[in-house]
Amino acid sequence: MGRRLKRLVARLRLYWLAARLYGTWQLLAKPHNHGALVAIWHQRRLLLVQTSYRHGLGLPGGGLDRRETARQAAVRELTEELGLRVSPDVLVDPWQITEISARGTNSVTIFTLRAEREPAIRLDGLELVASHWLTTQEAMGRPLVSHVRRYLMERG
């Protein structure tokens, strides 16, 4: 969505409706989605984010644009959502999962970013409305989106 449209939807407090409509359109137009997320770790804590349109904590990231690799999408999404600029080569250990649900098939690549210092992040306030630095144990006690829970169970 364009930045102006996102702001309008947020101002009208209709982000959940816009997300549902977009999800329905995506299911019809593109039943298999591909996404790229980034697990940012600092001192054994993971950055988890809360979106304005989904229940459960997730990772920063999003869908791949046309002709974009998962790594390119991850770099772009970090900039768009968190104001965090990173070099593609710092994203390591890609982990992939494909989930099938009523909303279609989603294939997600999760990259790892190990931060020596806690990165200065800036939430966009539209898609991402909160962030939390949590240990794996703390995270597992919270509502998580399914792919993040599986990632933590296997890699956390």
Side-chain angles (χ1 to χ4, degrees), residues 18-76:
R20 287 239 170 103
L21 291 173
Y22 180 73
T24 301
W25 176 82
Q26 278 285 99
L27 180 58
L28 296 172
K30 196 172 160 190
H32 190 162
N33 291 301
H34 297 272
L37 307 174
V38 181
I40 304 173
W41 292 92
H42 170 65
Q43 295 183 351
R44 303 181 63 90
R45 293 187 181 274
L46 174 65
L47 177 67
L48 292 169
V49 295
Q50 180 64 58
T51 65
S52 58
Y53 53 87
R54 180 185 290 154
H55 179 70
L57 297 173
L59 298 170
L64 276 63
D65 287 342
R66 191 177 180 105
R67 295 188 180 103
E68 186 176 45
T69 68
R71 188 175 304 275
Q72 291 168 331
V75 169
R76 176 182 51 75

Side-chain angles (χ1 to χ4, degrees), residues 1-3 6-7 60-63 65 68 72-86 122-128:
M1 258 192 275
R3 186 168 284 208
K6 284 182 184 179
R7 288 183 199 278
D65 287 342
E68 186 176 45
Q72 291 168 331
V75 169
R76 176 182 51 75
E77 289 284 348
L78 287 177
T79 302
E80 289 176 5
E81 294 184 348
L82 302 176
L84 184 60
R85 296 189 186 281
V86 299
R122 184 188 74 248
L123 298 180
D124 67 7
L126 301 172
E127 285 184 73
L128 301 184

Side-chain angles (χ1 to χ4, degrees), residues 4-17 126:
R4 285 185 184 167
L5 182 57
K6 284 182 184 179
R7 288 183 199 278
L8 175 64
V9 168
R11 187 173 301 135
L12 295 175
R13 299 180 190 270
L14 295 174
Y15 212 64
W16 63 271
L17 178 61
L126 301 172

